[in-house]
Amino acid sequence: MPADFALALHGGAGTILESALTPAKEAEYHASLARPLRAGHRVLADGGSALDAVTAAVCALEDEPLFNAGRGSVFTSTGKQEMDASIMDGSDRRVGAVAGIFGPRNPILVARAVMERTPYVTMIGTGAEALARSAGLPFEGPEYFFTEQRWKAMQETLAQQARGAEDRDEQRRHGTVGAVARDRRGNLAAATSTGGMSAKLSGRVGDSPVIGAGTFAENGSCAISCTGHGEVFIRWVAAHEISARMRHLGECLVDACEHVVMKDLKPNDGSGGLVAVDADGTIAMPFNSAGMYRGRIGPDGVALTAIHRETLRAS
Amino acid sequence: MPADFALALHGGAGTILESALTPAKEAEYHASLARPLRAGHRVLADGGSALDAVTAAVCALEDEPLFNAGRGSVFTSTGKQEMDASIMDGSDRRVGAVAGIFGPRNPILVARAVMERTPYVTMIGTGAEALARSAGLPFEGPEYFFTEQRWKAMQETLAQQARGAEDRDEQRRHGTVGAVARDRRGNLAAATSTGGMSAKLSGRVGDSPVIGAGTFAENGSCAISCTGHGEVFIRWVAAHEISARMRHLGECLVDACEHVVMKDLKPNDGSGGLVAVDADGTIAMPFNSAGMYRGRIGPDGVALTAIHRETLRAS
């Protein structure tokens, strides 16, 4: 029998090194995952839609400064912050996406405004910011989005680049947040938001706002939100490929996710992972990186979270 | 046996009304398709790669003022021109894409520079323009890109909108150019470029720069370049869905294209079409709109072109 409702989310596949994880820091991360899980749960428990639940969960993730989206986004090589986000309703394939924006407090709400207030699906830069203003969405200044941690990370990456070294630190390469949900009516939805790649060139856009790559939802198969080396997720059209394997090969969610994460992405420098839910409410959270901030919640309201390879724990 | 080499291209599914097509205008369109076909043919006949052939063909299409890409791009509601493009190499899935740029003479060359000169796959706006400059690509001023025809079209659409009417003119909604090729070594490639939708809000991006939606290439299945109502092509991840049907259902190119164009896109307001080539050099050019500027060329060097439902003719 289908589950009542289900929600899963991630705070990025670029996790802190296990060796650097103090008990206090660990508790902070689990709490930062549990709050967005509960925000999504409230929507679903009240009979709300999967679309509203992933919107609430991703807004909450964007508000958490520990994750690379909204507040706490990383900095480009020129010290700017540029945010991307997308959302998809699995019941009718409506989508909204934004790229290269700065100012709106919650980029995922701008993506949703594109979906609901325009005939378009993608808007970028100042055009998207103007839409956010006309939609009355809240804006914040640079001091709101700034975190010391991200500023230092950008400077460290630039210093490494100046020495001719590539920054392989997954925590800096892979920050993204996202959520997927199945609501009581069986509708699916997915949402993804990111501050991008630390010390990137201004204008670089990864897979988060690309429907089919970082985000996809279709009631008959699955809802997917990805995190990782975005360029590779785009080249493999990762989220849509999982749906295609389910629809055309008859694979189950877990097998389709496993194939794409381990056989398509991993051998092609596509480190990262994803959260996924299918029509029955089954959840998968595979990753091929050292860790992935992740969590799930169901009708019992218990937030289950994990960071590395350990078993999910109640938070 | 596989064909030696093959190239197909389109100048957009938004064709001129058959009733408005004078013999002189018709000849102009056919000539504007034949020149880019020959540019691609030269590359392939010389033993060049599919990637270089689609680059040459799309550059030539961008240079033709009759088509909505590069020179002759449409105008946004505020009188600007914003161009998007993407390219994909089917042999290794390398990709490059740009969105929201103005200035580079050939947007497809900027997409290719993203692919070849950066670790990224997508760059937007001023960041992409800066890359084009550092790559030494040619730039042009507004007078180069301006055409009276597109300026009038924008003003007519705005006038219709002011009266509360939607502009359903396919010629204004659907301008894009693109090419696909198979070279002698059996490698596939696809490229797409557009000036977007006439009188759109600044910042709107369609399917042309979205890998999986407007452009996709993978040697084992197909290379695809789409044109049409881009939002719907994004929601159906159209180009990648054709590849998925071939890879997972074992459908041939023609059947997979037919399914996506007629069963997925058409019933969902996704008017338009695409050009496609498979590993054997088979070409498909399906469309569900009134017409699609299109053409193909093979080893014999004869440029075959068409606009509406008529048979291809030698140009």
Side-chain angles (χ1 to χ4, degrees):
Chain A
M1 284 295 293
D4 192 65
F5 62 78
L7 183 140
L9 56 75
H10 66 77
T15 50
I16 189 169
L17 286 177
E18 241 175 312
S19 56
L21 194 61
T22 63
K25 199 78 187 165
E26 190 177 6
E28 266 187 71
Y29 276 112
H30 282 280
S32 294
L33 291 164
R35 283 185 290 265
L37 281 170
R38 292 197 187 97
H41 178 268
R42 271 193 295 278
V43 173
L44 294 169
D46 287 352
S49 70
L51 189 70
D52 286 340
V54 297
T55 304
V58 170
C59 276
L61 284 160
E62 288 173 338
D63 293 346
E64 297 288 345
L66 285 181
F67 301 129
N68 175 22
R71 189 178 192 189
S73 285
V74 300
F75 293 90
T76 69
S77 61
T78 51
K80 298 201 299 175
Q81 288 170 306
E82 298 173 346
M83 302 172 201
D84 313 323
S86 68
I87 190 164
M88 183 161 188
D89 186 335
S91 70
D92 55 9
R93 287 182 179 246
R94 282 187 309 158
V95 296
V98 291
I101 64 170
F102 179 77
R105 182 186 183 113
N106 291 107
I108 198 68
L109 294 181
V110 191
R112 188 150 174 187
V114 172
M115 178 172 100
E116 296 182 335
R117 291 168 173 262
T118 79
Y120 309 143
V121 309
T122 307
M123 294 192 74
I124 63 176
T126 53
E129 290 160 12
L131 171 71
R133 257 186 216 96
S134 74
L137 295 177
F139 276 63
E140 300 286 350
E143 66 293 347
Y144 171 81
F145 294 106
F146 180 91
T147 55
E148 190 66 33
Q149 175 201 0
R150 300 299 187 184
W151 185 257
K152 277 186 187 158
M154 179 268 284
Q155 291 177 312
E156 283 165 22
T157 303
L158 289 181
Q160 287 192 31
Q161 287 173 355
R163 291 193 305 271
E166 190 186 356
D167 189 344
R168 303 289 302 181
D169 183 331
E170 289 190 345
Q171 192 179 0
R172 289 199 280 266
R173 291 180 73 192
H174 293 173
T176 308
V177 306
V180 295
R182 176 199 188 275
D183 64 29
R184 282 187 174 146
R185 287 176 298 282
N187 290 323
L188 306 184
T192 310
S193 180
T194 189
M197 185 186 276
S198 188
K200 69 178 180 181
L201 288 181
S202 176
R204 177 265 185 185
V205 175
D207 63 323
S208 300
V210 180
I211 298 301
T215 305
F216 189 73
E218 186 269 323
N219 273 6
S221 52
C222 57
I224 309 279
S225 171
C226 298
T227 169
H229 186 180
E231 277 69 14
V232 183
F233 284 66
I234 292 175
R235 292 165 59 205
W236 262 262
V237 198
H240 184 255
E241 179 67 7
I242 292 169
S243 166
R245 295 188 72 89
M246 293 176 72
R247 289 181 289 116
H248 301 322
L249 294 177
E251 283 186 355
C252 70
L253 179 76
V254 170
D255 289 351
C257 288
E258 186 74 10
H259 186 99
V260 169
V261 171
M262 301 309 292
K263 304 275 177 64
D264 289 342
L265 298 170
K266 190 181 179 190
N268 291 290
D269 196 28
S271 65
L274 54 89
V275 293
V277 66
D278 71 9
D280 291 339
T282 301
I283 281 174
M285 302 192 284
F287 55 97
N288 62 38
S289 43
M292 179 172 77
Y293 300 114
R294 64 198 182 278
R296 58 182 291 174
I297 198 161
D300 65 7
V302 179
L304 297 169
T305 57
I307 300 176
H308 297 102
R309 296 269 160 203
E310 78 279 11
T311 311
L312 293 165
R313 76 178 206 197
S315 285
Chain B
M1 282 297 295
D4 192 65
F5 62 79
L7 183 139
L9 56 74
H10 66 79
T15 50
I16 191 168
L17 286 177
E18 244 175 311
S19 56
L21 194 60
T22 63
K25 199 79 188 162
E26 190 177 6
E28 266 187 71
Y29 276 113
H30 283 280
S32 295
L33 290 164
R35 284 185 289 265
L37 281 170
R38 291 195 189 98
H41 179 266
R42 270 193 296 277
V43 173
L44 293 169
D46 287 350
S49 70
L51 189 70
D52 285 340
V54 297
T55 303
V58 170
C59 276
L61 284 160
E62 288 174 338
D63 293 346
E64 295 288 345
L66 285 180
F67 302 128
N68 174 21
R71 189 179 192 188
S73 285
V74 300
F75 292 89
T76 69
S77 61
T78 51
K80 297 201 299 173
Q81 288 170 307
E82 298 172 345
M83 302 171 201
D84 314 323
S86 67
I87 190 164
M88 184 160 186
D89 185 335
S91 71
D92 54 10
R93 287 182 179 245
R94 281 186 309 156
V95 295
V98 291
I101 66 170
F102 178 79
R105 182 187 183 110
N106 291 106
I108 198 67
L109 294 181
V110 192
R112 189 153 172 185
V114 172
M115 179 172 99
E116 296 182 335
R117 290 167 174 264
T118 79
Y120 309 142
V121 307
T122 308
M123 294 192 72
I124 62 175
T126 53
E129 290 159 11
L131 171 71
R133 255 184 220 99
S134 74
L137 295 176
F139 275 63
E140 300 287 350
E143 67 291 346
Y144 171 81
F145 295 104
F146 181 91
T147 55
E148 191 66 34
Q149 173 200 3
R150 301 299 187 183
W151 186 258
K152 278 188 188 156
M154 179 268 284
Q155 291 178 313
E156 283 166 23
T157 303
L158 290 181
Q160 287 193 33
Q161 287 174 356
R163 291 195 304 272
E166 191 187 355
D167 188 345
R168 304 290 301 182
D169 183 331
E170 288 190 345
Q171 193 179 358
R172 289 200 280 266
R173 289 180 74 193
H174 293 174
T176 307
V177 306
V180 295
R182 177 200 188 274
D183 63 30
R184 283 189 172 144
R185 287 177 296 283
N187 289 323
L188 307 183
T192 310
S193 179
T194 189
M197 185 186 276
S198 189
K200 69 177 181 181
L201 287 181
S202 175
R204 177 265 186 186
V205 175
D207 64 322
S208 300
V210 179
I211 300 300
T215 304
F216 189 73
E218 187 268 321
N219 271 7
S221 51
C222 57
I224 309 278
S225 171
C226 299
T227 170
H229 187 179
E231 277 69 14
V232 184
F233 284 67
I234 293 175
R235 292 164 60 206
W236 262 262
V237 198
H240 184 255
E241 178 67 7
I242 292 169
S243 166
R245 294 188 72 90
M246 294 178 70
R247 289 180 289 116
H248 301 322
L249 294 176
E251 284 186 355
C252 70
L253 180 77
V254 171
D255 289 351
C257 288
E258 186 74 10
H259 185 99
V260 169
V261 171
M262 301 310 292
K263 304 275 176 62
D264 289 342
L265 298 171
K266 190 182 178 189
N268 292 290
D269 196 27
S271 65
L274 54 90
V275 293
V277 66
D278 70 9
D280 290 339
T282 302
I283 281 175
M285 304 192 282
F287 55 97
N288 61 38
S289 43
M292 179 172 77
Y293 301 114
R294 63 198 182 279
R296 57 181 292 174
I297 198 161
D300 65 6
V302 179
L304 298 169
T305 57
I307 299 177
H308 296 103
R309 297 268 159 203
E310 77 281 10
T311 311
L312 294 165
R313 76 178 204 196
S315 284

